[in-house]
Amino acid sequence: MSGTNGSVAAATIDDEYEILCDDVGSFLRRYTSEDGATVATDTELDGITAYTVTGTVVRCDTEQAPAANPLIDSTLQRQTGAGNVTIAAGARSVTLVVYAGSPTLAIGGAAPVTVTAGTSLTWGVDRGGDNGEQLQDAFVFAGVAGSDFLVSSTREV
């Protein structure tokens, strides 16, 4: 019919999903709402296998909350000409800025890679405190004749 409009509402089941964590690890919680009642069902991440919660349930992103005020140690080193700057494993951030020349960079014992002037590189993690994230590899910056670069880093103390 011309000029007729409207909508039709059909009763349907509403499912919402959330990945949560407990003392053992992560699991899937499904909230099912039908006829005004909500039922929560816990399963493995496959959504099928039943899961029994152990301990306290939290949102996974809050499971390892950062320390309230972690202490951060910072370094800043400029290298001109031949010489090395080494940042030990465990840093929270590392930044390289190359002003001149072509120094090399080796990460975690891998083969060195040449980095050209004008390059700026940064590696970092965003969670600190107890059980905080860290960069697992050491960084070795090697200057050659004509090199001029700056390396900065941070780490929790």
Side-chain angles (χ1 to χ4, degrees):
M1 287 193 245
S2 177
T4 303
N5 64 22
S7 64
V8 175
T12 61
I13 297 173
D14 181 28
D15 286 333
E16 302 290 329
Y17 297 88
E18 185 171 20
I19 296 176
L20 298 171
C21 290
D22 64 8
D23 293 349
V24 176
S26 56
F27 64 96
L28 184 65
R29 180 165 284 170
R30 180 180 67 236
Y31 300 96
T32 303
S33 296
E34 183 176 17
D35 298 328
T38 301
V39 176
T41 306
D42 297 331
T43 65
E44 297 282 343
L45 295 177
D46 65 9
I48 299 168
T49 308
Y51 184 83
T52 302
V53 172
T54 303
T56 304
V57 175
V58 297
R59 288 180 178 252
C60 295
D61 58 352
T62 60
E63 183 179 20
Q64 294 181 5
N69 292 303
L71 295 176
I72 305 295
D73 181 40
S74 301
T75 65
L76 179 64
Q77 295 176 265
R78 187 163 190 171
Q79 177 65 42
T80 56
N84 290 346
V85 175
T86 301
I87 304 298
R92 287 204 43 207
S93 68
V94 176
T95 298
L96 166 69
V97 178
V98 181
Y99 299 113
S102 297
T104 62
L105 165 60
I107 301 174
V113 174
T114 301
V115 184
T116 59
T119 300
S120 175
L121 301 170
T122 299
W123 299 262
V125 295
D126 64 357
R127 290 181 60 99
D130 295 341
N131 299 315
E133 294 176 326
Q134 300 175 355
L135 297 169
Q136 74 175 13
D137 296 315
F139 293 74
V140 179
F141 305 91
V144 295
S147 291
D148 184 5
F149 61 93
L150 190 69
V151 176
S152 63
S153 70
T154 61
R155 75 177 57 243
E156 282 188 42
V157 291

